[in-house]
Amino acid sequence: MVQISQSISRIRISVQGIVQGVGFRPFVFKCAKERGLAGFVENTSGKVTIEVQGRSRKLKDFVHVICADHPPSAFLADVKIDEIPLADDVDFIIKESRLSHNKEPVIPSDFSICDDCLKELFDPSNRRYRYPFINCTNCGPRFTIIKGLPYDRSRTSMDSFQMCPECLREYTDPSNRRFHAEPNACPVCGPKLLWAQPDGSIIAEGDKALKLCKDIIQNGRITAIKGVGGFHLMADAANDDAVRFLRDRKDRYEKPFAVLFPADKDDALSYIRGAAFMGADEEMAILNKERPIVVLKRRPGSMLSKLISPGLDTVGAFLPYSPLHYLLLNDLKTPLIATSANFSDSPIIKDNKEAIDKLKGIADGFLLHNRDIVRRCDDSVVAVSKGEATFLRRSRGYTPHVFKLPYKLNEAILAVGGNQKVTVALGWEDKAVMSQHLGDLATEEGFQAFEDAIHDLTDFYSVKPSRIACDMHPDYLSTKWALSQNNVKHIQVQHHHAHTTACMLDNNLTDKVLGIAWDGSGYGSDGTIWGGEFLIADYKGFERFCTFRKFRLLGGEQAVKEPRRALLSMLYEIYGEDILESQRVIGSESQRDGGSERITNLKDIFTETELMVFLQMLKKDFNSPFTTSAGRVFDAVSSLLGICHKATYEGQGAMMLENSAGGQSVIESEGQRVKAYPVAVGRKDGLNMFDWESMFKAILEDVLNGIGIKTISRNFHETLAQLILDVAKMAKEKKGLKAVCLSGGVFQNKVLTERAVCILKENGFNAYTHNALPPNDGGISLGQLVVGSWC
Ligand code: ZN
Ligand code: ZN
Ligand code: FE
């Protein structure tokens, strides 16, 4: 008898990770019951605690199963087991959530519909047949419906829906897939679809609403559809008129639209395959349960309208992630444009009333529902390069994610990002969490979203930062906000230093690196506008090792919108006032559409008056600050080759220039035909400097000699890769550095990035690019955070 009582023991298991809202507790319950164990399981903020007692062998088995066979969406980051005194439980129960102030809650992300729910959605005998809000503990909205912690129905936007007896039975049955599925709902008791006309009047519900929506799309018109993290504008992606219509109404003339594809039951990728090229890695990225938009190379002659991405061979493709998408796409069987419903610089629209007010001039009807979106969350965007996915926008499905820092922070710190593509980040102990993509702060809504995100993070994680890191730019609204906060230490982090450290963090590096940070612009520590920087950096600080020769931003911000201005000011740096005499020829018509080369003149892209005024501005130093921007060099070459003189969206000149090189991996596969133009790195003002003059002159000569655009574009990319290698060699010689980090918006360019990584590696360097963080300004909050914690 003594032996038997000795073999009974009690243990406490503390599980951290993604364990709330993912069906983990019912799973634990089931495992305990099956083994006849007593005790309880309980959610406390951010972790699950299990106390369980029984025979040692059964306990061991129980622990093993919990760790090995947990539900697919759960992620066990840390499991702690302690033996504790026996208690007098006789049964195993799930305890109600307890409010507590644990500092490590994990907020689940939004999950795309799981296979089980998908099956039920299309099963006519199921009570949720064609119910657009079907979900279970393995899928459904989370982050976008949570009002507070711990994650419980009463603290989500499902709190206004009373479960019907049938749903309640599932919700309270520990053996059911919907046990404590907080957004659990059915057609009887849950949210419903509504169809509203542009005047706001609701004229249909449920399947009828869906039918009206489909009619509108089939008629080549535009709908606004409420999704998981906000509204999309949708239209038939195969119908030129529909796409043109949307472009006209949205004042978005050329910026690419994302396309949502139907997912065939037997082969989810069949529609995408018909429209784009995909490697195995790209297929995997698309099928990812987070369902990001994946940038693919478009198949010529596909059914997609060419107007979805004018001047580019790409398409941002994604698969349905909500049950509503599945219903819509499966019924229509055609790809749809699904673009975030917003106006150029403001955040995605999330509320019904807001949508109708703001989109009535754009949408011909609104597919709404009555489950509130608590926080906005745009779709995530990734690009796959050489088998590695890189985020261009980290948002829905991937947020909030807690990153582990390579060291422990002394104080909690908030970092507020830049000015565009803003994200904010919060760090404490050895953790950091980054917000969803917030976009630009210039509009009232944008700024509100920024403040809300800061509030969310500090509130969710119960962290009160004693430091705030921000950009150095005095005019960034994020900087202004940060500096206006009292009783905290302020740290202003140089923009390109933040890019570099974000890339270091992304690769878990702590030692000094050569950071190559190229983008459109960032405030330099000398008060000038930087953008083509080579920094020797670590988290503590940086030294500007090399930069681009400066030239003028003609008309300041206006120069960003017009690549031709960068061209003119670079020519001016080379030829001075003789620019008009010396430069008969500056460009040639693009060959992209198979047309013949056409030599153009500066006078073809500027009016006489413009030329006169602009040259005066350059000469008199009027509203034309100097910059070392790499992004503008891409612009200038883009204009020089006749590809893009005026941009209608950010980065258009550079994107089209990359496109003209023939797409990814091309340089490598046809390496022998590509040559680098002369790369001149000299010293000026105590600084190494890339002088682009000889490269520019060589490009001009090629243009004059009638060399094709594709060849010149490839050569240009090759030149910059060579430049990167040359400077890396200098840094290695002078500083003994072998690690090179590539960051900044320019490195969204796959042709350049792949080639640079390739030749760096061939020459014995360790080349690092971004993975989990975007190379663009969407990643700098975490870079600021690590720098700010060292100062
Ligand atoms: Zn499910
Ligand atoms: Zn129900
Ligand atoms: Fe930047």
Side-chain angles (χ1 to χ4, degrees):
M1 295 305 282
V2 174
Q3 267 181 334
I4 291 171
S5 71
Q6 270 181 349
S7 73
I8 296 209
S9 50
R10 185 179 183 91
I11 52 174
R12 179 186 292 129
I13 311 170
S14 307
V15 186
Q16 286 196 2
I18 300 171
V19 284
Q20 293 193 5
V22 291
F24 189 66
R25 284 179 306 163
F27 162 74
V28 169
F29 177 88
K30 207 168 122 240
C31 295
K33 282 294 219 188
E34 280 167 5
R35 286 162 187 77
L37 301 170
F40 64 86
V41 55
E42 158 177 65
N43 260 356
T44 41
S45 292
K47 65 179 181 184
V48 164
T49 303
I50 308 162
E51 285 193 18
V52 63
Q53 70 182 41
R55 286 171 192 267
S56 301
R57 192 171 47 79
K58 298 255 172 169
L59 287 179
K60 224 183 200 170
D61 181 49
F62 174 78
V63 171
H64 172 78
V65 171
I66 297 242
C67 294
D69 294 334
H70 57 75
S73 302
F75 169 69
L76 313 194
D78 190 32
V79 180
K80 249 192 231 129
I81 301 172
D82 298 299
E83 188 155 352
I84 54 170
L86 293 178
D88 43 10
D89 306 304
V90 284
D91 200 0
F92 194 89
I93 57 160
I94 297 181
K95 276 200 189 171
E96 281 303 306
S97 293
R98 172 158 67 88
L99 282 162
S100 81
H101 282 280
N102 189 299
K103 279 195 175 179
E104 287 157 28
V106 177
I107 324 291
S109 315
D110 300 306
F111 300 118
S112 57
I113 182 171
C114 73
D115 291 346
D116 292 331
C117 287
L118 195 55
K119 236 180 255 150
E120 293 176 356
L121 182 65
F122 290 106
D123 173 3
S125 69
N126 191 281
R127 70 188 192 95
R128 291 191 179 85
Y129 176 57
R130 293 185 63 84
Y131 179 57
F133 305 95
I134 185 171
N135 67 85
C136 72
T137 46
N138 297 319
C139 73
R142 302 284 188 273
F143 178 64
T144 51
I145 61 164
I146 293 176
K147 293 179 181 171
L149 286 184
Y151 173 57
D152 257 337
R153 188 175 176 105
S154 63
R155 280 174 285 266
T156 69
S157 60
M158 286 299 293
D159 61 347
S160 54
F161 298 94
Q162 190 91 45
M163 269 185 272
C164 70
E166 186 68 357
C167 285
L168 195 61
R169 195 188 54 72
E170 296 166 330
Y171 183 85
T172 48
D173 172 6
S175 66
N176 194 287
R177 200 172 92 243
R178 298 199 165 88
F179 178 69
H180 275 270
E182 307 303 348
N184 189 28
C186 79
V188 175
C189 66
K192 59 182 176 220
L193 283 183
L194 306 164
W195 178 255
Q197 292 187 303
D199 66 4
S201 57
I202 290 176
I203 57 166
E205 288 186 4
D207 237 18
K208 267 195 205 123
L210 189 64
K211 164 96 177 50
L212 289 174
C213 177
K214 287 183 296 197
D215 289 347
I216 289 271
I217 291 172
Q218 278 171 327
N219 289 332
R221 289 154 71 200
I222 297 155
T223 61
I225 300 182
K226 188 175 184 179
V228 173
F231 276 77
H232 285 113
L233 287 165
M234 294 205 193
D236 185 349
N239 180 337
D240 279 350
D241 290 336
V243 185
R244 195 175 299 119
F245 206 34
L246 178 55
R247 287 206 175 279
D248 285 349
R249 285 195 187 172
K250 214 185 168 206
D251 281 342
R252 175 164 159 162
Y253 298 107
E254 288 171 319
K255 191 174 179 184
F257 284 133
V259 180
L260 184 60
F261 283 84
D264 192 82
K265 197 156 69 28
D266 302 315
D267 178 7
L269 294 171
S270 59
Y271 284 89
I272 301 183
R273 220 173 270 127
F277 299 101
M278 275 179 294
D281 303 307
E282 279 150 334
E283 292 194 1
M284 254 168 58
I286 291 204
L287 290 170
N288 224 315
K289 69 176 167 45
E290 285 83 4
R291 292 285 195 265
I293 295 169
V294 181
V295 182
L296 301 173
K297 193 172 164 87
R298 202 165 63 193
R299 212 178 262 284
S302 85
M303 70 185 302
L304 292 182
S305 163
K306 278 211 174 87
L307 299 173
I308 62 153
S309 54
L312 298 175
D313 297 337
T314 53
V315 54
F318 62 138
L319 288 174
Y321 51 87
S322 76
L324 176 57
H325 289 160
Y326 270 96
L327 292 173
L328 189 65
L329 275 292
N330 273 38
D331 290 356
L332 286 169
K333 296 199 177 353
T334 184
L336 300 182
I337 283 177
T339 185
S340 297
N342 61 354
F343 290 94
S344 49
D345 293 335
S346 49
I348 188 167
I349 292 169
K350 72 174 177 65
D351 299 324
N352 292 351
K353 187 176 171 324
E354 184 191 7
I356 291 169
D357 285 351
K358 291 187 177 161
L359 301 171
K360 57 177 173 251
I362 298 181
D364 297 298
F366 296 81
L367 191 58
L368 310 173
H369 60 70
N370 56 348
R371 183 179 71 200
D372 286 343
I373 298 172
V374 176
R375 66 185 57 71
R376 305 164 208 267
C377 200
D378 275 86
D379 293 317
S380 294
V381 184
V382 305
V384 180
S385 175
K386 300 250 163 202
E388 306 256 356
T390 301
F391 282 93
L392 303 183
R393 185 201 288 158
R394 189 182 177 106
S395 209
R396 181 191 46 75
Y398 297 96
T399 193
H401 173 82
V402 179
F403 295 90
K404 197 163 167 4
L405 298 173
Y407 58 89
K408 221 169 149 86
L409 302 174
N410 291 325
E411 290 173 59
I413 178 168
L414 175 73
V416 295
N419 204 42
Q420 292 175 311
K421 299 187 169 65
V422 173
T423 58
V424 297
L426 181 69
W428 70 102
E429 295 166 14
D430 61 346
K431 299 173 191 67
V433 63
M434 192 170 91
S435 74
Q436 72 273 36
H437 164 86
L438 303 167
D440 283 5
L441 305 188
T443 60
E444 202 180 306
E445 296 90 339
F447 197 74
Q448 188 62 50
F450 166 78
E451 289 195 309
D452 288 349
I454 292 171
H455 178 264
D456 275 350
L457 293 186
T458 49
D459 188 44
F460 280 162
Y461 299 93
S462 306
V463 171
K464 197 173 162 7
S466 51
R467 295 169 169 239
I468 299 185
C470 62
D471 199 273
M472 276 185 171
H473 202 306
D475 297 334
Y476 280 6
L477 292 172
S478 58
T479 305
K480 287 185 175 172
W481 181 90
L483 298 181
S484 73
Q485 302 302 304
N486 298 322
N487 303 321
V488 288
K489 183 171 176 181
H490 301 113
I491 304 108
Q492 289 188 263
V493 181
Q494 201 280 321
H495 189 88
H496 304 93
H497 187 206
H499 271 306
T500 301
T501 50
C503 188
M504 288 173 64
L505 187 67
D506 211 349
N507 291 281
N508 216 7
L509 305 175
T510 45
D511 292 336
K512 260 197 178 110
V513 301
L514 172 66
I516 301 191
W518 291 359
D519 61 6
S521 70
Y523 198 81
S525 28
D526 59 0
T528 67
I529 304 164
W530 294 6
E533 311 309 315
F534 305 76
L535 311 178
I536 308 281
D538 59 15
Y539 296 148
K540 292 188 210 83
F542 73 95
E543 171 197 338
R544 197 183 190 195
F545 183 69
C546 180
T547 185
F548 279 42
R549 174 178 166 186
K550 61 186 182 185
F551 55 98
R552 290 181 184 278
L553 272 176
L554 179 51
E557 273 301 296
Q558 205 51 38
V560 178
K561 298 190 177 127
E562 297 186 8
R564 62 179 189 154
R565 292 185 185 226
L567 172 66
L568 189 68
S569 69
M570 289 179 80
L571 288 172
Y572 183 81
E573 289 302 315
I574 301 175
Y575 299 103
E577 289 175 48
D578 297 335
I579 189 170
L580 291 179
E581 283 74 57
S582 61
Q583 288 311 299
R584 289 174 299 115
V585 175
I586 66 97
S588 54
E589 192 63 18
S590 160
Q591 282 183 311
R592 274 169 290 131
D593 299 318
S596 59
E597 298 269 318
R598 187 171 67 85
I599 305 250
T600 32
N601 189 290
L602 274 184
K603 286 179 180 148
D604 291 344
I605 53 170
F606 296 99
T607 64
E608 289 271 346
T609 323
E610 279 174 338
L611 263 184
M612 210 178 69
V613 171
F614 289 160
L615 288 173
Q616 281 302 311
M617 284 169 72
L618 291 169
K619 199 167 134 190
K620 301 232 163 99
D621 185 18
F622 178 77
N623 190 21
S624 298
F626 276 115
T627 183
T628 56
S629 168
R632 297 292 83 78
V633 173
F634 275 81
D635 277 355
V637 174
S638 190
S639 178
L640 176 60
L641 299 184
I643 293 169
C644 180
H645 302 302
K646 289 187 183 177
T648 65
Y649 58 91
E650 193 213 341
Q652 184 178 4
M655 281 165 74
M656 290 175 73
L657 181 60
E658 175 188 4
N659 202 80
S660 72
Q664 63 223 53
S665 305
V666 55
I667 288 185
E668 201 169 293
S669 58
E670 298 170 43
Q672 62 279 19
R673 289 201 275 126
V674 177
K675 63 160 199 208
Y677 295 116
V679 175
V681 180
R683 279 200 68 83
K684 198 165 181 220
D685 307 328
L687 194 63
N688 295 310
M689 194 191 69
F690 166 54
D691 187 346
W692 33 259
E693 182 169 329
S694 44
M695 172 185 78
F696 222 79
K697 282 180 164 165
I699 297 177
L700 264 173
E701 206 172 301
D702 271 2
V703 172
L704 283 171
N705 290 331
I707 307 288
I709 297 212
K710 188 171 178 172
T711 307
I712 298 178
S713 177
R714 289 180 187 189
N715 293 351
F716 167 70
H717 283 88
E718 180 69 10
T719 312
L720 294 184
Q722 189 63 48
L723 166 66
I724 288 171
L725 177 64
D726 287 0
V727 177
K729 282 180 175 166
M730 287 166 58
K732 189 177 168 196
E733 197 187 294
K734 296 227 167 70
K735 313 272 176 178
L737 295 179
K738 270 178 77 178
V740 183
C741 283
L742 306 177
S743 185
V746 167
F747 291 102
Q748 295 172 102
N749 180 319
K750 279 209 246 182
V751 174
L752 172 65
T753 308
E754 288 183 2
R755 184 61 188 147
V757 167
C758 174
I759 60 172
L760 282 169
K761 285 188 174 160
E762 276 170 13
N763 284 274
F765 289 94
N766 301 322
Y768 299 97
T769 56
H770 278 281
N771 308 296
L773 303 177
N776 57 46
D777 285 6
I780 62 172
S781 59
L782 274 178
Q784 294 169 344
L785 187 144
V786 284
V787 174
S789 67
W790 278 99
C791 295

